[in-house]
Amino acid sequence: MIDLHLHSRASDGSLTPSELVQLCAARGVQLLALTDHDCLTGLPEARSAAHTAGIRCVNGVEISVTWENKTLHVVGLNINPQNPELLAGLARLQATRAVRAQEIGRRLGVRGIHGAYAGARALAGNNNVTRTHFAQWLCDQGHAATSQKAFQRFLDRGKPGYVPTIWASIKESIGWIHAACGKAVLAHPLRYRLTRAKLMQALTAFKQAGGDAMEVICGHGNRDDIATASHYATRFELMISVGSDFHNPASPWNQPGIETPPPENLRPVWECF
Ligand code: AMP
Ligand code: MN
Ligand code: MN
Ligand code: MN
């Protein structure tokens, strides 16, 4: 079993990197990548835990990207976490996150919800603040029953706490990943709510910028989605990747480890590792 898209507490997951790797090992995952949002801090712990558990772990990251006013995610796999270009790029995104988090707090304050920034900041500890931390704080404070509802009411695009943000360009994200000798993977291509035409444009831009692969199985991907994504991978001559996008053991429908075998006619990105 393989899983090349996983989150830890270093970004918006709820497990430490060690706990995450142990869960992966217990579920039979043999090759994993930790891919926290715009940050590499969980990687050394994940690698060491994987060594202890006797499973393989490659260094990963999930980079926030802005393309045509939409947020996309580009996963970097098998990256060198010491590469200065990658580190400088991620430092810029982390600074953007810090400013955005304060602005989310300010906007929620205007709506009468006070203390959100301090609350989310405290939940994130030493790590970058993500919207998931705001969602959790909103739930803890009784402003929403579930994280999903907190997003729907306050944090999704167009909602009171949403702050339009300019992340990396597609080209920058791929440039940083390639500078770090990694493979650039378009994450969960069917989850952006793009029209077919728009998705084709995004894939064209990704391929032209030097993108290497795309996820064809993400989370509990159904057969139709896998077939659709595989069709795009063939058409754009991209390798394929698979990952659960696991964040939290509380979501039983989305646990680490992909059991569906990937389509056979496509080249798996993990053959490069
Ligand atoms: P950020 O990168 O800080 O904008 O946070 C994005 C993260 O929020 C995603 O990676 C998801 O983990 C989470 N997220 C986004 N939309 C939702 C939603 N509707 N419900 C629950 N979690 C979400
Ligand atoms: Mn996330
Ligand atoms: Mn993502
Ligand atoms: Mn993710």
Side-chain angles (χ1 to χ4, degrees):
M1 243 203 306
I2 289 174
D3 197 330
L4 301 176
H5 189 149
L6 294 156
H7 295 276
S8 79
R9 209 183 280 172
S11 66
D12 61 349
S14 66
L15 302 183
T16 65
S18 307
E19 289 166 344
L20 173 70
V21 169
Q22 283 154 17
L23 177 61
C24 286
R27 290 178 54 85
V29 174
Q30 290 146 322
L31 170 65
L32 70 92
L34 177 62
T35 56
D36 275 311
H37 296 287
D38 306 318
C39 104
L40 309 176
T41 47
L43 298 178
E45 186 183 319
R47 299 263 291 183
S48 135
H51 183 77
T52 306
I55 63 178
R56 285 182 66 207
C57 173
V58 297
N59 292 315
V61 64
E62 182 172 17
I63 301 180
S64 305
V65 162
T66 300
W67 173 78
E68 306 234 324
N69 217 14
K70 297 193 182 300
T71 301
L72 308 181
H73 287 168
V74 174
V75 164
L77 294 177
N78 208 24
I79 47 169
N80 167 12
Q82 263 95 48
N83 177 263
E85 219 175 299
L86 175 65
L87 288 168
L90 297 181
R92 189 184 103 202
L93 298 185
Q94 288 164 16
T96 300
R97 273 189 181 277
V99 173
R100 180 190 69 153
Q102 297 196 35
E103 179 62 13
I104 293 174
R106 195 190 66 76
R107 290 188 187 202
L108 291 173
V110 170
R111 293 298 179 113
I113 295 175
H114 299 287
Y117 173 71
R121 176 72 274 165
L123 287 172
N126 292 325
N127 303 308
N128 302 299
V129 181
T130 69
R131 281 187 294 162
T132 307
H133 296 107
F134 279 97
Q136 192 190 330
W137 182 85
L138 287 162
C139 292
D140 293 348
Q141 297 295 309
H143 295 292
T146 64
S147 183
Q148 183 77 30
K149 285 187 174 147
F151 271 90
Q152 283 166 9
R153 279 185 68 183
F154 301 107
L155 300 169
D156 278 342
R157 179 180 285 254
K159 299 301 158 70
Y162 183 79
V163 177
T165 305
I166 298 178
W167 303 107
S169 69
I170 289 182
K171 215 173 160 59
E172 284 173 325
S173 68
I174 295 173
W176 303 339
I177 291 164
H178 284 173
C181 301
K183 297 294 179 197
V185 183
L186 184 67
H188 42 69
L190 303 183
R191 236 191 272 160
Y192 300 120
R193 291 190 228 129
L194 301 175
T195 61
R196 198 188 130 79
K198 230 19 197 179
L199 179 56
M200 300 277 281
Q201 285 175 37
L203 282 162
T204 303
F206 181 74
K207 178 71 184 179
Q208 280 179 354
D212 301 294
M214 59 180 272
E215 290 180 351
V216 296
I217 305 181
C218 22
H220 52 302
N222 65 46
R223 283 161 156 266
D224 285 355
D225 286 352
I226 296 170
T228 304
S230 301
H231 167 81
Y232 286 122
T234 306
R235 174 162 182 160
F236 286 91
E237 298 182 1
L238 291 164
M239 290 182 282
I240 57 159
S241 187
V242 302
S244 63
D245 203 5
F246 170 84
H247 286 73
N248 187 332
S251 321
W253 59 90
N254 187 15
Q255 293 298 305
I258 298 295
E259 280 168 293
T260 322
E264 273 174 16
N265 50 333
L266 295 163
R267 178 155 185 237
V269 70
W270 57 89
E271 282 182 359
C272 304
F273 306 157

